[in-house]
Amino acid sequence: AASPASAAFAVAVAGGGRAGFRPPPRATTRARAAAASGAASAYTAMPAQPQPTFYDLLGISAEGSSFEDVRAAYRRMARKYHPDVSPPDAAKEHTRRFIQVQEAYETLSDPSRRTTYDRALARGVCRLAFSPAARRHDAEQEEKSGWRTSWEGQISELKKRSTVKDAEENLSWGAQMRRRRAEQS
Amino acid sequence: MALSSTFSLPRGFLGVLPQEHHFAPAVELHARPLKTPTRRSYGISASLSEREAEYHSQRPPTPLLDTVNYPIHMKNLSLKELQQLSDELRSDVIFHVSKTGGHLGSSLGVVELTVALHYVFNTPQDKLLWDVGHQSYPHKILTGRRDKMPTMRQTNGLSGFVKRSESEYDSFGTGHSSTTISAALGMAVGRDLKGAKNNVVAVIGDGAMTAGQAYEAMNNAGYLDSDMIVILNDNKQVSLPTATLDGPAPPVGALSGALSKLQSSRPLRELREVAKGVTKQIGGSVHEIAAKVDEYARGMISGSGSSLFEELGLYYIGPVDGHNIDDLITILREVKGTKTTGPVLIHVITEKGRGYPYAERASDKYHGVAKFDPATGKQFKVPAKTLSYTNYFAEALIAEAEQDSKIVAIHAAMGGGTGLNYFLRRFPNRCFDVGIAEQHAVTFAAGLACEGLKPFCAIYSSFLQRGYDQVVHDVDLQKLPVRFAMDRAGLVGADGPTHCGAFDVAFMACLPNMVVMAPSDEAELLNMVATAAAIDDRPSCFRYPRGNGIGVPLPENYKGTAIEVGKGRIMIEGERVALLGYGSAVQYCMAASSIVAQHGLRVTVADARFCKPLDHALIRSLAKSHEVIITVEEGSIGGFGSHVAQFMALDGLLDGKLKWRPVVLPDKYIDHGSPADQLVEAGLTPSHIAATVFNILGQAREALAIMTVQNA
């Protein structure tokens, strides 16, 4: 399986990102070197240590954890980090964690959102922040690959049609002109 | 006068004064905290913080673009190189526009499409038409005008739209929307008659598709069945901006929903797969049967959208990812290589402002921008002491509508440009955006007037040309009290002759029932809005220019007072020569009188206010007490001056020693440029008027002195 670094690098080089801004060349070569050496260090534009995923936050494994596991883990974490039950000096940090846990649960408890998140993880596009824009992005990608099938079919049909388009019965002005042009050439 | 003078800001406004500009909304929206849908207020986002620069600050190198001067230089590039070329082209557009201002979002959305089109087709033999033309910046860069991009929209520089006289690659001049399918069909038919073989491609947006002319053209194209390609550039931006003051809005019109459905027509795809499989199994010479099956399947499954184009006779292909060069080139190549297609419509999905993060996030997608800093997206706006006439109009209409619940406002996809987005926010149920459909807007207003409502149609002077028959036949002939607020009257600067409002005085004042008036400053504008609201037995109109107010005391809360219809006013009492101005030209007359005064002559300056009905008493009194009357207006021949002359002739005022001279826009189209340059080109500057005064009086030396000082 490709390491997150090389996956992220592949995304950057393909230029498939929506933003026009490219990271400065130095970072790319470093990432390329890192990928070449097979190091597991994350893409250099991000912080040095890899960010936790939603699964890490909830303390469950990515594969095989059912909806029940997710919910139980969420309950555990929520009880631990809820601002009302945390010590006052840790309130700010706990609130932050709680919100992250909340977001993790919302994503992982919904089957379709979870699948999209898993796919995004595999591509190395994101770890923790699964913003609505990214979600929409993936839905869009799926839709777009469906478009290709659609227009490929339309093009083949266009070609089919064109072979019979200017048959004698077609008396449109354009057909008449095309026939005349074909006769002259 | 017991008016409190105030330059107060519009209601609910916070931050920087909005600047009158063709593109004012972009600034206003940035003065407010943007609701950016990609950020949640509490989540940790992996993207960069808002305060950091999200784009290059220096122009990145463009090695590939540097080798492309004309499309022929692209023909040997590989797919990867074409992608790189697109990226370079995109950054080139951004950096050029950042220095000159102009239309950014639309150009960014069609970068890949432009590259694909020029790669696949052989322009200029193949005709490429750009609807509206404001998205043609990448096209211009690729067709030999990259070095001229710094002159974009400036005097003697590149036009901001497509222009035949500028380059042979610009096949058809555009500026108003929805004309390209018609023109492309004309070019296709012309080609057929000549027996030529070139391709004809028209690129039109989904906003332009809301105009009737597009359907007239498609209807005809389907009937004639001539080979041509229409590319529908769908970015879900139907109005300018497709957003309210408070954020994005769903596009107006039912068509957008239909186009959206096309993008996710899953059942059709699946059926098609089955049909393809079946055909393969049958094999052999059953093309016709398979074609028939597919045709029925389409009609059955695809629902409203593609059937619309199919019924009109255009073969529909799509949706296609408009930012995927591979897909675009494949499709274009296939269609180009297929003989006898008839008209084909390729539905391309793009994102306005794509590739520039600030544009992608902005509600108006950076449709039109002033000069800006590429790294931060901040626009440089010159601060002004007064608001734009557009803003004053919006505020005045709101003030009237507060007191009269029958007042409604209509515009044609120009909520930002007409200022009616403010009206929409204050009265959400009383503001109507009909899409790019001026003809419909006028008759729609007529219908409202039949029901006793008081409709204000805010349409740019040049765009109202499109709805002229409706003004004549549906409004004026039946004497329905529709009010026309014609913004951008007169010369408009960088947008050029396509947007210039030169003819509205002529074509409105010749209508028997129309009240025609023009304010000379913003206070007069407020009063004329009130006057128009009060005129309830006949149609009325008023025109005002692009630009900011001159700085006069304003009534409280922008509530104007109705003025007596057909009554002008004297601004300066003088002798011998009377300058009778109409609209903003009165300000030029005032300035001219100062110049003339330096040479020892004090002339009279009068503000006619009304072109119809004329202030007969004023004109008679001026005629009796002066040797010369000079009528001044920023409009074409046949307008205010002609009406004054007609009246004076019929009244016998010209039978004596009185001389009359008109000062109007010359009998030619004034090219785009700065407003000051355009006035010089038109001969309408205060210096020109002052020189005219002396010329008529036979004082050529003074006239020459004035003109030489001006040109020094």
Side-chain angles (χ1 to χ4, degrees):
Chain A
S3 72
S6 57
F9 169 66
V11 169
V13 161
R18 274 156 53 243
F21 181 63
R22 290 247 188 80
R26 263 185 337 150
T28 318
T29 39
R30 211 184 293 154
R32 193 185 293 144
S37 67
S41 59
Y43 184 42
T44 38
M46 300 239 222
Q49 30 167 274
Q51 286 194 321
T53 68
F54 282 155
Y55 295 106
D56 298 330
L57 267 183
L58 291 179
I60 50 178
S61 72
E63 284 94 47
S65 46
S66 67
F67 172 70
E68 286 306 316
D69 297 331
V70 172
R71 194 162 64 163
Y74 166 65
R75 288 234 183 88
R76 256 199 326 270
M77 292 293 149
R79 267 199 298 271
K80 187 168 162 197
Y81 287 122
H82 197 284
D84 291 345
V85 302
S86 52
D89 50 350
K92 203 162 172 203
E93 171 67 22
H94 277 208
T95 312
R96 201 178 58 85
R97 279 299 190 99
F98 179 73
I99 291 168
Q100 288 179 341
V101 162
Q102 181 80 14
E103 200 176 340
Y105 175 61
E106 277 171 13
T107 312
L108 296 182
S109 59
D110 181 340
S112 61
R113 275 160 74 156
R114 186 175 172 177
T115 359
T116 343
Y117 179 69
D118 288 338
R119 231 180 285 133
L121 261 191
R123 292 209 313 268
V125 166
C126 73
R127 313 291 249 125
L128 193 60
F130 198 44
S131 58
R135 229 173 281 143
R136 222 188 312 131
H137 186 64
D138 291 317
E140 276 170 29
Q141 294 295 85
E142 235 188 289
E143 205 173 68
K144 284 185 184 169
S145 60
W147 290 353
R148 196 191 177 100
T149 334
S150 167
W151 57 253
E152 276 171 351
Q154 288 160 337
I155 296 225
S156 58
E157 204 225 306
L158 178 69
K159 291 192 171 314
K160 253 184 281 165
R161 265 202 202 185
S162 71
T163 57
V164 298
K165 191 164 174 64
D166 278 354
E168 286 306 317
E169 310 89 56
N170 186 354
L171 292 174
S172 75
W173 186 91
Q176 290 176 33
M177 299 303 290
R178 283 189 286 268
R179 274 198 291 274
R180 194 178 306 171
R181 198 178 72 204
E183 279 159 26
Q184 281 169 0
S185 60
Chain B
M1 279 196 288
L3 294 171
S4 66
S5 81
T6 154
F7 297 121
S8 56
L9 298 172
R11 291 170 196 76
F13 188 76
L14 33 108
V16 172
L17 272 179
Q19 296 319 309
E20 205 315 292
H21 213 279
H22 185 50
F23 326 118
V27 168
E28 292 157 22
L29 291 166
H30 279 273
R32 285 179 185 68
L34 273 180
K35 283 200 196 117
T36 45
T38 58
R39 293 184 203 286
R40 290 159 75 160
S41 52
Y42 52 85
I44 295 175
S45 175
S47 51
L48 300 165
S49 87
E50 245 171 88
R51 255 165 270 126
E52 288 176 32
E54 290 188 43
Y55 197 72
H56 307 273
S57 52
Q58 294 300 325
R59 180 197 291 263
T62 54
L64 208 45
L65 185 58
D66 292 343
T67 67
V68 174
N69 283 334
Y70 291 95
I72 196 165
H73 302 148
M74 286 167 53
K75 299 297 181 186
N76 285 332
L77 296 179
S78 69
L79 178 61
K80 198 138 177 271
E81 287 169 325
L82 288 171
Q83 281 164 344
Q84 184 188 335
L85 180 67
S86 303
D87 291 332
E88 293 183 7
L89 185 56
R90 182 169 266 123
S91 71
D92 209 44
V93 168
I94 293 173
F95 276 90
H96 274 127
V97 177
S98 73
K99 297 268 176 339
T100 61
H103 291 101
L104 184 64
S106 48
S107 294
L108 293 180
V110 296
V111 167
E112 285 83 8
L113 181 62
T114 312
V115 169
L117 283 168
H118 280 296
Y119 176 73
V120 171
F121 292 101
N122 298 317
T123 51
Q125 290 75 29
D126 286 338
K127 306 287 179 214
L128 184 50
L129 291 83
W130 297 93
D131 200 273
V132 187
H134 60 331
Q135 80 284 58
S136 62
Y137 294 20
H139 162 78
K140 296 197 178 199
I141 292 178
L142 287 180
T143 51
R145 286 167 278 183
R146 188 179 179 200
D147 54 337
K148 295 212 201 84
M149 286 296 289
T151 66
M152 173 66 73
R153 295 168 65 86
Q154 290 149 43
T155 319
N156 296 326
L158 286 183
S159 163
F161 305 93
V162 177
K163 202 165 157 187
R164 274 171 60 86
S165 56
E166 192 175 276
S167 160
E168 57 174 346
Y169 290 88
D170 288 358
S171 313
F172 194 74
T174 46
H176 290 191
S177 90
S178 323
T179 52
T180 34
I181 307 182
S182 299
L185 181 60
M187 291 188 188
V189 166
R191 165 205 67 201
D192 288 344
L193 287 170
K194 291 196 310 190
K197 293 208 185 78
N198 55 288
N199 297 97
V200 179
V201 182
V203 181
I204 180 171
D206 58 316
M209 273 299 197
T210 60
Q213 186 171 0
Y215 294 94
E216 294 174 11
M218 287 194 285
N219 182 39
N220 198 203
Y223 173 73
L224 288 175
D225 197 27
S226 191
D227 291 340
M228 61 182 269
I229 300 173
V230 175
I231 296 187
L232 172 56
N233 176 20
D234 184 0
N235 58 10
K236 291 209 186 358
Q237 301 293 311
V238 162
S239 302
L240 288 181
T242 307
T244 63
L245 291 168
D246 304 311
V252 295
L255 183 69
S256 300
L259 291 179
S260 294
K261 274 200 216 125
L262 282 174
Q263 295 184 30
S264 52
S265 51
R266 208 158 278 162
L268 174 61
R269 280 208 302 278
E270 285 161 10
L271 184 67
R272 221 187 228 121
E273 289 302 306
V274 170
K276 262 195 339 201
V278 168
T279 321
K280 279 208 195 95
Q281 286 178 12
I282 299 177
S285 55
V286 285
H287 292 302
E288 286 184 44
I289 302 176
K292 275 273 160 10
V293 167
D294 213 349
E295 196 177 313
Y296 286 133
R298 271 166 171 272
M300 270 196 305
I301 305 287
S302 56
S304 51
S306 69
S307 290
L308 171 65
F309 299 116
E310 301 278 325
E311 294 302 326
L312 285 172
L314 279 76
Y315 187 84
Y316 175 86
I317 295 180
V320 181
D321 182 357
H323 296 291
N324 183 327
I325 295 209
D326 189 15
D327 286 357
L328 288 171
I329 292 181
T330 310
I331 295 179
L332 289 172
R333 259 212 195 110
E334 295 283 354
V335 175
K336 178 188 177 190
T338 311
K339 301 274 176 277
T340 71
T341 56
V344 174
L345 182 127
I346 305 178
H347 185 188
V348 169
I349 313 292
T350 61
E351 186 189 343
K352 190 164 180 174
R354 165 89 161 212
Y356 190 55
Y358 302 103
E360 289 174 6
R361 289 202 293 265
S363 300
D364 74 332
K365 308 286 181 190
Y366 274 38
H367 166 77
V369 292
K371 303 183 188 155
F372 64 94
D373 172 29
T376 59
K378 275 208 182 45
Q379 295 186 46
F380 307 131
K381 290 284 184 151
V382 179
K385 293 202 199 75
T386 52
L387 303 178
S388 62
Y389 282 107
T390 311
N391 280 119
Y392 287 122
F393 163 69
E395 293 298 333
L397 194 60
I398 292 175
E400 295 299 322
E402 302 259 9
Q403 299 187 357
D404 188 342
S405 60
K406 295 217 196 77
I407 291 184
V408 294
I410 300 120
H411 66 93
M414 297 286 293
T418 55
L420 285 183
N421 268 349
Y422 288 107
F423 192 88
L424 172 70
R425 176 204 266 177
R426 177 70 190 84
F427 300 106
N429 288 336
R430 288 158 66 175
C431 186
F432 298 94
D433 176 4
V434 300
I436 302 180
E438 288 79 10
Q439 302 180 28
H440 163 71
V442 174
T443 309
F444 175 64
L448 285 166
C450 288
E451 292 298 307
L453 293 168
K454 299 187 180 174
F456 273 78
C457 249
I459 300 179
Y460 281 12
S461 162
S462 65
F463 298 162
L464 189 57
Q465 287 159 196
R466 207 170 252 201
Y468 187 53
D469 178 54
Q470 285 72 16
V471 174
V472 177
H473 179 273
D474 297 331
V475 172
D476 195 75
L477 182 56
Q478 305 180 95
K479 218 171 166 188
L480 287 170
V482 176
R483 293 85 167 157
F484 295 99
M486 298 178 295
D487 199 339
R488 306 305 199 267
L491 298 166
V492 293
D495 279 335
T498 54
H499 288 62
C500 172
F503 309 115
D504 60 275
V505 189
F507 67 62
M508 287 305 230
C510 62
L511 301 178
N513 290 324
M514 182 75 65
V515 171
V516 182
M517 48 189 173
S520 53
D521 58 46
E522 59 270 35
E524 286 281 293
L525 174 59
L526 302 188
N527 292 334
M528 286 192 182
V529 173
T531 313
I535 298 175
D536 223 14
D537 62 336
R538 58 184 60 220
S540 55
C541 68
F542 49 96
R543 68 175 333 222
Y544 46 99
R546 184 175 184 268
N548 287 17
I550 59 169
V552 290
L554 292 174
E556 189 144 347
N557 269 335
Y558 302 100
K559 174 81 180 70
T561 342
I563 51 186
E564 191 184 331
V565 174
K567 205 95 177 65
R569 59 175 180 164
I570 305 240
M571 312 284 285
I572 299 177
E573 295 270 9
E575 54 174 11
R576 294 189 72 194
V577 179
L579 295 174
L580 182 57
Y582 181 66
S584 53
V586 171
Q587 303 307 328
Y588 307 151
C589 294
M590 300 286 280
S593 76
S594 318
I595 299 177
V596 168
Q598 289 168 16
H599 293 261
L601 177 60
R602 188 179 161 80
V603 296
T604 306
V605 178
D607 174 9
R609 282 180 169 158
F610 289 86
C611 178
K612 194 175 188 133
L614 282 171
D615 188 343
H616 294 161
L618 173 65
I619 298 174
R620 283 189 186 117
S621 100
L622 288 175
K624 293 212 164 59
S625 50
H626 294 79
E627 298 166 31
V628 181
I629 290 189
I630 303 178
T631 52
V632 188
E633 70 200 283
E634 201 171 317
S636 70
I637 191 174
F640 172 67
S642 304
H643 282 260
V644 171
Q646 173 98 351
F647 165 68
M648 290 199 298
L650 292 178
D651 213 44
L653 300 172
L654 291 176
D655 298 349
K657 290 234 182 64
L658 179 68
K659 290 191 184 145
W660 165 71
R661 292 292 181 275
V663 174
V664 296
L665 286 174
D667 195 20
K668 61 175 181 176
Y669 292 100
I670 308 285
D671 275 332
H672 61 278
S674 73
D677 288 340
Q678 285 191 321
L679 273 183
V680 170
E681 171 87 16
L684 266 174
T685 60
S687 305
H688 280 99
I689 299 170
T692 309
V693 169
F694 284 120
N695 269 325
I696 301 177
L697 291 178
Q699 294 170 258
R701 194 183 298 145
E702 278 82 350
L704 194 57
I706 291 172
M707 289 313 295
T708 351
V709 163
Q710 186 230 241
N711 292 331

